[in-house]
Amino acid sequence: MDISSEIRFKTARSGGAGGQNVNKVETMVEGYWDISATNLLNEEQQFRIKEKLANRITAEGYLLVKSQTERSQLGNKQQVIKKMNALVSKALIVPKKRKATKPSKASKEKRIESKKKNSEIKQGRVKIKL
């Protein structure tokens, strides 16, 4: 799923590598995506994203992703798009339901056998009364 057309970008000065360039150019990019206003997802998918990515969603309901690793604004913009697409597609994966299983007959017998063996070992530790 590609949500790059619905992402709004904001730039700011970034820290880190870049020398004097860091002080002059706004290379850090923040990407905002309004989950509620999107036409790409249905209600259930929106709910799933809001639930799984709750710690990345602002009070206004925007999914926020930042990047300042690249030295250019364009590179950071591409990083934001890449990160956001990955987050959304990972959040939309529905986990499989767990099927309850019962222990096999062999495993039950093995468990009981080990309990008997353990019991015999402990019985051997008891002091003999005369």
Side-chain angles (χ1 to χ4, degrees):
M1 172 179 293
D2 188 30
I3 60 168
S4 56
S5 60
E6 294 186 353
I7 301 173
R8 288 187 313 125
F9 297 100
K10 209 182 212 180
T11 59
R13 288 195 192 144
S14 138
Q20 191 147 14
N21 190 49
V22 171
N23 303 328
K24 298 188 298 182
V25 186
E26 294 193 343
T27 54
M28 182 185 74
V29 177
E30 293 178 338
Y32 294 91
W33 181 52
D34 191 0
I35 299 165
S36 304
T38 185
N39 298 325
L40 301 171
L41 306 172
N42 61 33
E43 298 274 325
E44 183 191 329
Q45 290 172 325
Q46 287 178 9
F47 178 74
R48 185 175 301 283
I49 286 176
K50 285 178 183 175
E51 197 174 55
K52 288 198 176 177
L53 301 176
N55 57 339
R56 288 182 168 268
I57 296 174
T58 63
E60 294 83 35
Y62 292 101
L63 177 64
L64 171 64
V65 175
K66 292 181 185 180
S67 178
Q68 58 182 15
T69 55
E70 303 293 320
R71 286 182 63 165
S72 70
Q73 198 177 93
L74 184 65
N76 282 327
K77 208 175 213 180
Q78 289 169 343
Q79 285 286 339
V80 166
I81 292 169
K82 198 172 167 185
K83 281 182 191 177
M84 208 172 273
N85 281 329
L87 278 171
V88 169
S89 56
K90 191 175 179 184
L92 288 175
I93 295 171
V94 181
K96 286 189 217 168
K97 292 269 190 250
R98 182 187 171 276
K99 291 181 184 173
T101 57
K102 293 180 181 173
S104 66
K105 192 174 182 181
S107 69
K108 283 181 187 174
E109 287 173 7
K110 187 178 172 185
R111 186 180 126 264
I112 290 167
E113 200 58 44
S114 71
K115 286 177 74 146
K116 284 179 184 175
K117 200 173 187 181
N118 217 3
S119 173
E120 286 173 17
I121 291 169
K122 289 187 176 186
Q123 286 297 319
R125 294 182 191 153
V126 176
K127 290 184 180 176
I128 303 167
K129 293 180 183 176
L130 297 174

